[in-house]
Amino acid sequence: MRIERVDVYGYDLRYAHGEYVMSGGRTIASLPSTVVRIETEDGIAGHGETCPLGATYLPASAAGARAALGELAPALLGVDATNLAAVHDAMDGALRGHGYAKSAVDIACWDVLGRAAGVPVSTLLGGVRAPDFPLYVAIPLGPVDDMVAHVRARRDEGIRRFQLKLGADPREDAARVRAVLEATQEGDVVIADANGGWRLQDATIAARALEGLDRVLFEQPCPTLEECLVVRDRTTLPMVLDEVITDVQALIRAYGAMEAINLKLGRVGGLTAARLMRDLGERLGLRFTIEDSWGGDLTTAAVAHLAASTHPEQLLMASFMNDWTLDHVAGYEPRSRDGRGAAPTGPGLGVEVDPGALGEPLFSARRAT
Ligand code: MG
């Protein structure tokens, strides 16, 4: 199953609800997404996607992904796409780091492997344990009334988990959380996610203002693990860490600082690394939110397979980002239902890319004949 050609495509993903606002004045209306298509000598093709959440969310950007893939694509030619270890060795031999770019290749090769084996990726990741699972939506930072209205609209669609974008004034942020709690019901979960927007003192003020509120989880209050550890000592709010959990080593360093990890495929380098961290974390008693920084149908499919193969007890929630965005390259599949998601059942990622939606590749690498 040697790789015969690599095509890299770009398309724009527009946010479905106007502007997506995070702490630090980070505002997004549309993002460039990058799709990798891997074709083998046997004619099997797989797809993967990477879409950084702008250039200031993580050390990643769309331009960076495309430049990195330009370095990686020639090194992949001739490698067995179904040998994920060989694929990563080839990538690491051509370019150090840049896991978010490698993630798209990794996912495309899992798609090839599943198609070659005739089974869904969820089977290869350990097997389906969660036939369907709860989804969440992120609520952009804004005036309290806007955030409450957004929560009510998504709640009407069946969503029961809401991640509030915070990290501005800690007292106003606490008021946002309390107002949303009022608009939700028993069994709903509200995640106060500052995206590292508070430094120590404001994070401590926010934690104190939210102390004792049931149904509230505290996500990535500060930008560094060191600060999060200090905040952790000052609150009983269950903690989720996200941006700082970049690899297995970070997970081990942070163990004890969180009950849950927001596991993003691109941040850790793809499904291969995310599966390892999921399996390790499950045995350590951690829960997971499974998703990616941003993305469309292909990202959603990859996320769905990892989420479905996670023990339901350890799966906090997942996101179907193709519900958050307007542009679809695989027929708006997989599709959420009443606030819940499920993995596609077809081979590989189980979704079919519409070539017309991708247009011409940005660039390609192919084996000399
Ligand atoms: Mg987060």
Side-chain angles (χ1 to χ4, degrees):
M1 293 274 169
R2 282 188 297 204
I3 296 174
E4 190 75 18
R5 62 182 288 166
V6 180
D7 296 298
V8 177
Y9 299 86
Y11 74 104
D12 287 330
L13 261 176
R14 291 164 297 154
Y15 180 51
H17 305 290
E19 289 193 326
Y20 188 81
V21 183
M22 291 181 289
S23 58
R26 293 172 288 183
T27 300
I28 280 150
S30 180
L31 286 165
S33 189
T34 303
V35 170
V36 172
R37 180 179 184 275
I38 299 278
E39 187 178 326
T40 69
E41 59 191 350
D42 314 82
I44 296 180
H47 293 82
E49 178 176 19
T50 184
C51 187
L53 185 48
T56 56
Y57 172 67
L58 289 170
S61 72
R66 293 170 186 182
L69 287 165
E71 304 274 345
L72 296 169
L76 289 163
L77 300 176
V79 177
D80 181 354
T82 64
N83 183 338
L84 269 297
V87 167
H88 278 277
D89 288 346
M91 290 199 290
D92 293 344
L95 180 68
R96 185 167 177 172
H98 298 78
Y100 69 103
K102 293 172 179 173
S103 177
V105 174
D106 174 86
I107 292 167
C109 290
W110 279 98
D111 191 17
V112 169
L113 175 58
R115 288 172 193 273
V119 296
V121 168
S122 53
T123 299
L124 302 173
L125 295 174
V128 171
R129 304 166 97 182
D132 77 322
F133 42 83
L135 302 177
Y136 89 92
V137 293
I139 309 298
L141 179 63
V144 174
D145 290 350
D146 291 359
M147 294 178 78
V148 168
H150 196 146
V151 165
R152 286 192 202 280
R154 301 288 81 75
R155 203 172 188 288
D156 286 346
E157 294 167 1
I159 295 286
R160 296 292 182 267
R161 283 157 169 75
F162 307 95
Q163 185 201 68
L164 312 187
K165 292 299 168 196
L166 302 174
D169 178 281
R171 294 175 184 85
E172 291 175 11
D173 283 335
R176 291 178 171 101
V177 174
R178 287 177 182 277
V180 165
L181 270 180
E182 288 274 302
T184 57
Q185 291 177 19
E186 199 57 42
D188 294 3
V189 179
V190 176
I191 300 99
D193 185 4
N195 291 112
W198 297 309
R199 299 316 293 260
L200 265 181
Q201 192 172 67
D202 283 350
T204 304
I205 291 168
R208 185 175 57 191
L210 298 174
E211 190 64 38
L213 290 181
D214 196 18
R215 302 199 281 117
V216 174
L217 308 178
F218 210 44
E219 180 162 328
Q220 194 70 49
C222 298
T224 65
L225 175 59
E226 288 75 12
E227 288 166 280
C228 291
L229 286 167
V230 174
V231 175
R232 165 71 167 189
D233 276 345
R234 297 175 181 171
T235 179
T236 64
L237 290 168
M239 195 93 104
V240 184
L241 289 182
D242 183 345
E243 285 92 327
V244 295
I245 309 298
T246 50
D247 52 20
V248 167
Q249 287 76 11
L251 186 158
I252 291 168
R253 279 197 301 275
Y255 187 65
M258 74 263 171
E259 288 77 22
I261 291 172
N262 185 319
L263 185 58
K264 292 185 164 70
L265 304 184
R267 191 185 64 233
V268 301
L271 281 169
T272 303
R275 177 189 58 171
L276 172 63
M277 293 171 71
R278 186 273 314 267
D279 289 348
L280 176 65
E282 269 191 358
R283 284 154 186 77
L284 292 169
L286 297 170
R287 285 204 168 119
F288 289 92
T289 294
I290 294 180
E291 61 169 357
D292 210 336
S293 298
W294 203 257
D297 295 341
L298 288 164
T299 291
T300 301
V303 163
H305 288 287
L306 187 63
S309 60
T310 301
H311 195 291
E313 186 59 34
Q314 310 299 118
L315 181 61
L316 182 57
M317 56 197 193
S319 64
F320 266 24
M321 286 196 165
N322 62 352
D323 283 338
W324 306 16
T325 52
L326 297 173
D327 305 280
H328 301 289
V329 300
Y332 196 176
E333 294 291 341
R335 198 77 63 93
S336 68
R337 201 182 184 91
D338 298 328
R340 298 183 69 85
T345 53
L349 290 179
V351 295
E352 299 308 320
V353 169
D354 170 14
L358 287 177
E360 291 299 309
L362 300 171
F363 57 88
S364 304
R366 64 185 80 177
R367 282 178 94 190
T369 47

